[in-house]
PDB file of all heavy atoms in Angstrom:
ATOM      1  N   TYR A  80      23.597 175.642  57.080  1.00  0.00           N
ATOM      2  CA  TYR A  80      22.279 176.035  57.591  1.00  0.00           C
ATOM      3  C   TYR A  80      21.472 176.667  56.513  1.00  0.00           C
ATOM      4  O   TYR A  80      20.160 176.546  56.542  1.00  0.00           O
ATOM      5  CB  TYR A  80      22.452 176.909  58.823  1.00  0.00           C
ATOM      6  CG  TYR A  80      23.036 176.205  59.986  1.00  0.00           C
ATOM      7  CD1 TYR A  80      24.388 176.368  60.315  1.00  0.00           C
ATOM      8  CD2 TYR A  80      22.278 175.316  60.744  1.00  0.00           C
ATOM      9  CE1 TYR A  80      24.966 175.647  61.355  1.00  0.00           C
ATOM     10  CE2 TYR A  80      22.856 174.582  61.732  1.00  0.00           C
ATOM     11  CZ  TYR A  80      24.199 174.781  62.128  1.00  0.00           C
ATOM     12  OH  TYR A  80      24.751 174.060  63.096  1.00  0.00           O
ATOM     13  N   VAL A 118      16.155 163.548  58.540  1.00  0.00           N
ATOM     14  CA  VAL A 118      16.392 164.238  59.802  1.00  0.00           C
ATOM     15  C   VAL A 118      15.681 165.571  59.813  1.00  0.00           C
ATOM     16  O   VAL A 118      15.840 166.332  58.771  1.00  0.00           O
ATOM     17  CB  VAL A 118      17.856 164.342  60.144  1.00  0.00           C
ATOM     18  CG1 VAL A 118      18.135 165.228  61.367  1.00  0.00           C
ATOM     19  CG2 VAL A 118      18.482 162.956  60.410  1.00  0.00           C
ATOM     20  N   ASP A 119      15.062 165.979  60.827  1.00  0.00           N
ATOM     21  CA  ASP A 119      14.440 167.325  60.991  1.00  0.00           C
ATOM     22  C   ASP A 119      15.576 168.332  61.213  1.00  0.00           C
ATOM     23  O   ASP A 119      16.312 168.253  62.192  1.00  0.00           O
ATOM     24  CB  ASP A 119      13.485 167.260  62.174  1.00  0.00           C
ATOM     25  CG  ASP A 119      12.735 168.637  62.335  1.00  0.00           C
ATOM     26  OD1 ASP A 119      13.335 169.681  62.165  1.00  0.00           O
ATOM     27  OD2 ASP A 119      11.477 168.500  62.663  1.00  0.00           O
ATOM     28  N   PHE A 120      15.693 169.338  60.303  1.00  0.00           N
ATOM     29  CA  PHE A 120      16.724 170.287  60.423  1.00  0.00           C
ATOM     30  C   PHE A 120      16.559 171.349  61.537  1.00  0.00           C
ATOM     31  O   PHE A 120      17.542 171.929  62.017  1.00  0.00           O
ATOM     32  CB  PHE A 120      16.942 171.013  59.067  1.00  0.00           C
ATOM     33  CG  PHE A 120      17.673 170.177  58.070  1.00  0.00           C
ATOM     34  CD1 PHE A 120      17.039 169.541  56.981  1.00  0.00           C
ATOM     35  CD2 PHE A 120      19.016 169.875  58.214  1.00  0.00           C
ATOM     36  CE1 PHE A 120      17.682 168.802  56.058  1.00  0.00           C
ATOM     37  CE2 PHE A 120      19.748 169.124  57.297  1.00  0.00           C
ATOM     38  CZ  PHE A 120      19.096 168.550  56.264  1.00  0.00           C
ATOM     39  N   GLU A 121      15.322 171.510  61.986  1.00  0.00           N
ATOM     40  CA  GLU A 121      15.116 172.372  63.168  1.00  0.00           C
ATOM     41  C   GLU A 121      15.741 171.627  64.385  1.00  0.00           C
ATOM     42  O   GLU A 121      16.394 172.325  65.204  1.00  0.00           O
ATOM     43  CB  GLU A 121      13.648 172.556  63.416  1.00  0.00           C
ATOM     44  CG  GLU A 121      12.901 173.329  62.261  1.00  0.00           C
ATOM     45  CD  GLU A 121      13.094 174.752  62.360  1.00  0.00           C
ATOM     46  OE1 GLU A 121      13.448 175.279  63.435  1.00  0.00           O
ATOM     47  OE2 GLU A 121      12.884 175.488  61.366  1.00  0.00           O
ATOM     48  N   LYS A 122      15.430 170.333  64.470  1.00  0.00           N
ATOM     49  CA  LYS A 122      16.036 169.613  65.595  1.00  0.00           C
ATOM     50  C   LYS A 122      17.590 169.498  65.489  1.00  0.00           C
ATOM     51  O   LYS A 122      18.292 169.743  66.489  1.00  0.00           O
ATOM     52  CB  LYS A 122      15.493 168.192  65.633  1.00  0.00           C
ATOM     53  CG  LYS A 122      16.131 167.276  66.621  1.00  0.00           C
ATOM     54  CD  LYS A 122      15.607 165.815  66.457  1.00  0.00           C
ATOM     55  CE  LYS A 122      16.290 164.849  67.403  1.00  0.00           C
ATOM     56  NZ  LYS A 122      15.796 163.475  67.274  1.00  0.00           N
ATOM     57  N   ALA A 123      18.030 169.329  64.275  1.00  0.00           N
ATOM     58  CA  ALA A 123      19.519 169.334  64.050  1.00  0.00           C
ATOM     59  C   ALA A 123      20.156 170.569  64.464  1.00  0.00           C
ATOM     60  O   ALA A 123      21.213 170.604  65.053  1.00  0.00           O
ATOM     61  CB  ALA A 123      19.803 168.980  62.559  1.00  0.00           C
ATOM     62  N   THR A 124      19.539 171.724  64.199  1.00  0.00           N
ATOM     63  CA  THR A 124      20.067 173.006  64.512  1.00  0.00           C
ATOM     64  C   THR A 124      20.074 173.192  66.064  1.00  0.00           C
ATOM     65  O   THR A 124      21.065 173.720  66.625  1.00  0.00           O
ATOM     66  CB  THR A 124      19.285 174.180  63.870  1.00  0.00           C
ATOM     67  OG1 THR A 124      19.297 174.006  62.459  1.00  0.00           O
ATOM     68  CG2 THR A 124      19.874 175.496  64.217  1.00  0.00           C
ATOM     69  N   GLU A 125      18.985 172.803  66.687  1.00  0.00           N
ATOM     70  CA  GLU A 125      18.959 172.944  68.155  1.00  0.00           C
ATOM     71  C   GLU A 125      20.061 172.093  68.803  1.00  0.00           C
ATOM     72  O   GLU A 125      20.710 172.609  69.735  1.00  0.00           O
ATOM     73  CB  GLU A 125      17.553 172.480  68.616  1.00  0.00           C
ATOM     74  CG  GLU A 125      16.451 173.394  68.274  1.00  0.00           C
ATOM     75  CD  GLU A 125      15.056 172.809  68.594  1.00  0.00           C
ATOM     76  OE1 GLU A 125      15.015 171.643  69.044  1.00  0.00           O
ATOM     77  OE2 GLU A 125      14.039 173.478  68.384  1.00  0.00           O
ATOM     78  N   ILE A 126      20.281 170.899  68.348  1.00  0.00           N
ATOM     79  CA  ILE A 126      21.314 170.109  68.930  1.00  0.00           C
ATOM     80  C   ILE A 126      22.686 170.640  68.668  1.00  0.00           C
ATOM     81  O   ILE A 126      23.574 170.700  69.540  1.00  0.00           O
ATOM     82  CB  ILE A 126      21.191 168.616  68.321  1.00  0.00           C
ATOM     83  CG1 ILE A 126      19.914 167.978  68.869  1.00  0.00           C
ATOM     84  CG2 ILE A 126      22.398 167.812  68.811  1.00  0.00           C
ATOM     85  CD1 ILE A 126      19.613 166.593  68.329  1.00  0.00           C
ATOM     86  N   ALA A 127      22.868 171.198  67.490  1.00  0.00           N
ATOM     87  CA  ALA A 127      24.212 171.782  67.117  1.00  0.00           C
ATOM     88  C   ALA A 127      24.503 172.952  68.003  1.00  0.00           C
ATOM     89  O   ALA A 127      25.591 173.169  68.498  1.00  0.00           O
ATOM     90  CB  ALA A 127      24.204 172.173  65.640  1.00  0.00           C
ATOM     91  N   LEU A 128      23.520 173.809  68.239  1.00  0.00           N
ATOM     92  CA  LEU A 128      23.728 174.975  69.130  1.00  0.00           C
ATOM     93  C   LEU A 128      23.953 174.566  70.584  1.00  0.00           C
ATOM     94  O   LEU A 128      24.784 175.210  71.250  1.00  0.00           O
ATOM     95  CB  LEU A 128      22.471 175.859  69.027  1.00  0.00           C
ATOM     96  CG  LEU A 128      22.267 176.600  67.674  1.00  0.00           C
ATOM     97  CD1 LEU A 128      20.995 177.383  67.683  1.00  0.00           C
ATOM     98  CD2 LEU A 128      23.515 177.487  67.350  1.00  0.00           C
ATOM     99  N   ARG A 129      23.291 173.509  71.008  1.00  0.00           N
ATOM    100  CA  ARG A 129      23.541 173.019  72.340  1.00  0.00           C
ATOM    101  C   ARG A 129      24.991 172.474  72.493  1.00  0.00           C
ATOM    102  O   ARG A 129      25.652 172.804  73.492  1.00  0.00           O
ATOM    103  CB  ARG A 129      22.570 171.818  72.619  1.00  0.00           C
ATOM    104  CG  ARG A 129      22.582 171.367  74.074  1.00  0.00           C
ATOM    105  CD  ARG A 129      22.031 169.945  74.219  1.00  0.00           C
ATOM    106  NE  ARG A 129      23.017 168.972  73.765  1.00  0.00           N
ATOM    107  CZ  ARG A 129      22.753 167.740  73.185  1.00  0.00           C
ATOM    108  NH1 ARG A 129      21.446 167.495  72.932  1.00  0.00           N
ATOM    109  NH2 ARG A 129      23.634 166.928  72.901  1.00  0.00           N
ATOM    110  N   LEU A 130      25.440 171.749  71.488  1.00  0.00           N
ATOM    111  CA  LEU A 130      26.824 171.246  71.527  1.00  0.00           C
ATOM    112  C   LEU A 130      27.831 172.396  71.467  1.00  0.00           C
ATOM    113  O   LEU A 130      28.878 172.322  72.143  1.00  0.00           O
ATOM    114  CB  LEU A 130      27.071 170.250  70.378  1.00  0.00           C
ATOM    115  CG  LEU A 130      26.289 168.929  70.431  1.00  0.00           C
ATOM    116  CD1 LEU A 130      26.472 168.124  69.106  1.00  0.00           C
ATOM    117  CD2 LEU A 130      26.807 168.078  71.621  1.00  0.00           C
ATOM    118  N   ALA A 131      27.537 173.397  70.690  1.00  0.00           N
ATOM    119  CA  ALA A 131      28.399 174.561  70.626  1.00  0.00           C
ATOM    120  C   ALA A 131      28.515 175.291  71.887  1.00  0.00           C
ATOM    121  O   ALA A 131      29.578 175.706  72.398  1.00  0.00           O
ATOM    122  CB  ALA A 131      27.977 175.475  69.467  1.00  0.00           C
ATOM    123  N   GLU A 132      27.344 175.380  72.571  1.00  0.00           N
ATOM    124  CA  GLU A 132      27.305 176.056  73.870  1.00  0.00           C
ATOM    125  C   GLU A 132      28.081 175.311  74.903  1.00  0.00           C
ATOM    126  O   GLU A 132      28.865 175.841  75.644  1.00  0.00           O
ATOM    127  CB  GLU A 132      25.832 176.180  74.305  1.00  0.00           C
ATOM    128  CG  GLU A 132      25.572 176.875  75.599  1.00  0.00           C
ATOM    129  CD  GLU A 132      25.816 178.413  75.495  1.00  0.00           C
ATOM    130  OE1 GLU A 132      25.386 178.992  74.454  1.00  0.00           O
ATOM    131  OE2 GLU A 132      26.441 178.957  76.399  1.00  0.00           O
ATOM    132  N   GLU A 133      27.892 173.957  74.943  1.00  0.00           N
ATOM    133  CA  GLU A 133      28.591 173.088  75.843  1.00  0.00           C
ATOM    134  C   GLU A 133      30.107 173.156  75.570  1.00  0.00           C
ATOM    135  O   GLU A 133      30.884 173.031  76.545  1.00  0.00           O
ATOM    136  CB  GLU A 133      28.089 171.631  75.759  1.00  0.00           C
ATOM    137  CG  GLU A 133      26.707 171.439  76.244  1.00  0.00           C
ATOM    138  CD  GLU A 133      26.120 170.090  75.957  1.00  0.00           C
ATOM    139  OE1 GLU A 133      26.805 169.255  75.295  1.00  0.00           O
ATOM    140  OE2 GLU A 133      24.964 169.766  76.384  1.00  0.00           O
ATOM    141  N   GLY A 134      30.506 173.314  74.342  1.00  0.00           N
ATOM    142  CA  GLY A 134      31.866 173.363  74.032  1.00  0.00           C
ATOM    143  C   GLY A 134      32.478 174.722  74.117  1.00  0.00           C
ATOM    144  O   GLY A 134      33.692 174.930  73.870  1.00  0.00           O
ATOM    145  N   TRP A 137      31.629 180.029  71.482  1.00  0.00           N
ATOM    146  CA  TRP A 137      31.565 181.469  71.383  1.00  0.00           C
ATOM    147  C   TRP A 137      32.482 182.232  72.410  1.00  0.00           C
ATOM    148  O   TRP A 137      32.660 183.412  72.293  1.00  0.00           O
ATOM    149  CB  TRP A 137      30.079 182.001  71.601  1.00  0.00           C
ATOM    150  CG  TRP A 137      29.278 181.631  70.435  1.00  0.00           C
ATOM    151  CD1 TRP A 137      29.224 182.216  69.226  1.00  0.00           C
ATOM    152  CD2 TRP A 137      28.297 180.547  70.354  1.00  0.00           C
ATOM    153  NE1 TRP A 137      28.368 181.636  68.369  1.00  0.00           N
ATOM    154  CE2 TRP A 137      27.693 180.581  69.049  1.00  0.00           C
ATOM    155  CE3 TRP A 137      27.880 179.621  71.273  1.00  0.00           C
ATOM    156  CZ2 TRP A 137      26.808 179.657  68.682  1.00  0.00           C
ATOM    157  CZ3 TRP A 137      26.874 178.592  70.817  1.00  0.00           C
ATOM    158  CH2 TRP A 137      26.386 178.712  69.579  1.00  0.00           C
ATOM    159  N   MET A 150      32.757 167.936  67.453  1.00  0.00           N
ATOM    160  CA  MET A 150      31.365 168.335  67.663  1.00  0.00           C
ATOM    161  C   MET A 150      30.453 167.726  66.598  1.00  0.00           C
ATOM    162  O   MET A 150      29.407 167.215  66.849  1.00  0.00           O
ATOM    163  CB  MET A 150      31.301 169.833  67.642  1.00  0.00           C
ATOM    164  CG  MET A 150      31.827 170.557  68.910  1.00  0.00           C
ATOM    165  SD  MET A 150      31.899 172.307  68.662  1.00  0.00           S
ATOM    166  CE  MET A 150      30.280 172.688  68.175  1.00  0.00           C
ATOM    167  N   ILE A 151      30.896 167.822  65.341  1.00  0.00           N
ATOM    168  CA  ILE A 151      30.132 167.330  64.204  1.00  0.00           C
ATOM    169  C   ILE A 151      29.919 165.847  64.293  1.00  0.00           C
ATOM    170  O   ILE A 151      28.811 165.305  64.098  1.00  0.00           O
ATOM    171  CB  ILE A 151      30.755 167.718  62.839  1.00  0.00           C
ATOM    172  CG1 ILE A 151      30.638 169.229  62.661  1.00  0.00           C
ATOM    173  CG2 ILE A 151      30.056 167.010  61.672  1.00  0.00           C
ATOM    174  CD1 ILE A 151      31.386 169.713  61.478  1.00  0.00           C
ATOM    175  N   GLU A 152      30.964 165.099  64.710  1.00  0.00           N
ATOM    176  CA  GLU A 152      30.836 163.648  64.780  1.00  0.00           C
ATOM    177  C   GLU A 152      29.855 163.254  65.848  1.00  0.00           C
ATOM    178  O   GLU A 152      29.026 162.386  65.749  1.00  0.00           O
ATOM    179  CB  GLU A 152      32.192 163.027  65.111  1.00  0.00           C
ATOM    180  CG  GLU A 152      32.231 161.544  64.958  1.00  0.00           C
ATOM    181  CD  GLU A 152      33.589 160.905  64.744  1.00  0.00           C
ATOM    182  OE1 GLU A 152      34.640 161.692  64.909  1.00  0.00           O
ATOM    183  OE2 GLU A 152      33.726 159.709  64.496  1.00  0.00           O
ATOM    184  N   THR A 153      29.945 163.948  67.060  1.00  0.00           N
ATOM    185  CA  THR A 153      28.950 163.761  68.111  1.00  0.00           C
ATOM    186  C   THR A 153      27.521 163.989  67.679  1.00  0.00           C
ATOM    187  O   THR A 153      26.589 163.300  67.920  1.00  0.00           O
ATOM    188  CB  THR A 153      29.266 164.608  69.365  1.00  0.00           C
ATOM    189  OG1 THR A 153      30.599 164.220  69.809  1.00  0.00           O
ATOM    190  CG2 THR A 153      28.289 164.370  70.433  1.00  0.00           C
ATOM    191  N   TRP A 154      27.384 165.151  66.921  1.00  0.00           N
ATOM    192  CA  TRP A 154      26.151 165.616  66.396  1.00  0.00           C
ATOM    193  C   TRP A 154      25.536 164.583  65.443  1.00  0.00           C
ATOM    194  O   TRP A 154      24.325 164.243  65.566  1.00  0.00           O
ATOM    195  CB  TRP A 154      26.410 166.911  65.677  1.00  0.00           C
ATOM    196  CG  TRP A 154      25.323 167.679  64.981  1.00  0.00           C
ATOM    197  CD1 TRP A 154      24.197 168.244  65.535  1.00  0.00           C
ATOM    198  CD2 TRP A 154      25.198 167.842  63.568  1.00  0.00           C
ATOM    199  NE1 TRP A 154      23.478 168.891  64.605  1.00  0.00           N
ATOM    200  CE2 TRP A 154      24.073 168.636  63.426  1.00  0.00           C
ATOM    201  CE3 TRP A 154      26.020 167.516  62.498  1.00  0.00           C
ATOM    202  CZ2 TRP A 154      23.676 169.092  62.133  1.00  0.00           C
ATOM    203  CZ3 TRP A 154      25.693 167.966  61.204  1.00  0.00           C
ATOM    204  CH2 TRP A 154      24.457 168.744  61.033  1.00  0.00           C
ATOM    205  N   LEU A 155      26.318 164.079  64.514  1.00  0.00           N
ATOM    206  CA  LEU A 155      25.845 163.058  63.591  1.00  0.00           C
ATOM    207  C   LEU A 155      25.389 161.769  64.321  1.00  0.00           C
ATOM    208  O   LEU A 155      24.390 161.180  64.028  1.00  0.00           O
ATOM    209  CB  LEU A 155      26.850 162.711  62.553  1.00  0.00           C
ATOM    210  CG  LEU A 155      27.201 163.775  61.466  1.00  0.00           C
ATOM    211  CD1 LEU A 155      28.338 163.388  60.613  1.00  0.00           C
ATOM    212  CD2 LEU A 155      25.962 164.047  60.605  1.00  0.00           C
ATOM    213  N   ASP A 156      26.215 161.356  65.271  1.00  0.00           N
ATOM    214  CA  ASP A 156      25.873 160.148  66.036  1.00  0.00           C
ATOM    215  C   ASP A 156      24.561 160.291  66.828  1.00  0.00           C
ATOM    216  O   ASP A 156      23.807 159.369  66.957  1.00  0.00           O
ATOM    217  CB  ASP A 156      27.013 159.886  67.038  1.00  0.00           C
ATOM    218  CG  ASP A 156      26.842 158.522  67.669  1.00  0.00           C
ATOM    219  OD1 ASP A 156      26.610 157.541  66.987  1.00  0.00           O
ATOM    220  OD2 ASP A 156      26.961 158.454  68.917  1.00  0.00           O
ATOM    221  N   GLU A 157      24.318 161.526  67.251  1.00  0.00           N
ATOM    222  CA  GLU A 157      22.998 161.842  68.009  1.00  0.00           C
ATOM    223  C   GLU A 157      21.800 161.863  66.988  1.00  0.00           C
ATOM    224  O   GLU A 157      20.726 161.455  67.392  1.00  0.00           O
ATOM    225  CB  GLU A 157      23.128 163.058  68.788  1.00  0.00           C
ATOM    226  CG  GLU A 157      21.988 163.326  69.732  1.00  0.00           C
ATOM    227  CD  GLU A 157      22.254 164.375  70.744  1.00  0.00           C
ATOM    228  OE1 GLU A 157      23.464 164.693  71.075  1.00  0.00           O
ATOM    229  OE2 GLU A 157      21.291 164.895  71.325  1.00  0.00           O
ATOM    230  N   LEU A 158      22.081 162.347  65.840  1.00  0.00           N
ATOM    231  CA  LEU A 158      20.945 162.611  64.893  1.00  0.00           C
ATOM    232  C   LEU A 158      20.574 161.366  64.051  1.00  0.00           C
ATOM    233  O   LEU A 158      19.383 161.165  63.814  1.00  0.00           O
ATOM    234  CB  LEU A 158      21.309 163.768  64.014  1.00  0.00           C
ATOM    235  CG  LEU A 158      21.252 165.165  64.492  1.00  0.00           C
ATOM    236  CD1 LEU A 158      21.877 166.124  63.544  1.00  0.00           C
ATOM    237  CD2 LEU A 158      19.783 165.522  64.794  1.00  0.00           C
ATOM    238  N   LEU A 159      21.537 160.586  63.556  1.00  0.00           N
ATOM    239  CA  LEU A 159      21.275 159.599  62.606  1.00  0.00           C
ATOM    240  C   LEU A 159      20.576 158.371  63.293  1.00  0.00           C
ATOM    241  O   LEU A 159      21.093 157.862  64.257  1.00  0.00           O
ATOM    242  CB  LEU A 159      22.518 159.134  61.849  1.00  0.00           C
ATOM    243  CG  LEU A 159      23.178 160.200  60.955  1.00  0.00           C
ATOM    244  CD1 LEU A 159      24.471 159.679  60.319  1.00  0.00           C
ATOM    245  CD2 LEU A 159      22.144 160.720  59.886  1.00  0.00           C
ATOM    246  N   ILE A 281      22.710 181.887  62.995  1.00  0.00           N
ATOM    247  CA  ILE A 281      22.478 180.550  62.459  1.00  0.00           C
ATOM    248  C   ILE A 281      21.058 180.331  62.125  1.00  0.00           C
ATOM    249  O   ILE A 281      20.628 179.919  60.999  1.00  0.00           O
ATOM    250  CB  ILE A 281      22.992 179.537  63.421  1.00  0.00           C
ATOM    251  CG1 ILE A 281      24.459 179.521  63.416  1.00  0.00           C
ATOM    252  CG2 ILE A 281      22.361 178.098  63.069  1.00  0.00           C
ATOM    253  CD1 ILE A 281      25.205 178.447  63.970  1.00  0.00           C
ATOM    254  N   TRP A 282      20.106 180.805  62.955  1.00  0.00           N
ATOM    255  CA  TRP A 282      18.652 180.664  62.698  1.00  0.00           C
ATOM    256  C   TRP A 282      18.365 181.543  61.568  1.00  0.00           C
ATOM    257  O   TRP A 282      17.433 181.210  60.729  1.00  0.00           O
ATOM    258  CB  TRP A 282      17.785 181.064  63.909  1.00  0.00           C
ATOM    259  CG  TRP A 282      17.879 180.017  64.963  1.00  0.00           C
ATOM    260  CD1 TRP A 282      18.399 180.118  66.279  1.00  0.00           C
ATOM    261  CD2 TRP A 282      17.269 178.729  64.902  1.00  0.00           C
ATOM    262  NE1 TRP A 282      18.243 178.988  66.980  1.00  0.00           N
ATOM    263  CE2 TRP A 282      17.486 178.101  66.178  1.00  0.00           C
ATOM    264  CE3 TRP A 282      16.564 178.022  63.900  1.00  0.00           C
ATOM    265  CZ2 TRP A 282      17.083 176.767  66.477  1.00  0.00           C
ATOM    266  CZ3 TRP A 282      16.161 176.713  64.200  1.00  0.00           C
ATOM    267  CH2 TRP A 282      16.399 176.108  65.472  1.00  0.00           C
TER     268      TRP A 282
END
Side-chain angles (χ1 to χ4, degrees):
Y80 292 102
V118 169
D119 184 318
F120 282 107
E121 298 278 340
K122 174 184 176 182
T124 301
E125 290 171 357
I126 293 175
L128 292 176
R129 188 201 78 212
L130 291 173
E132 184 72 41
E133 292 172 356
W137 289 286
M150 288 171 51
I151 292 174
E152 191 162 8
T153 299
W154 178 69
L155 288 173
D156 188 49
E157 189 166 341
L158 285 170
L159 294 179
I281 289 198
W282 286 113

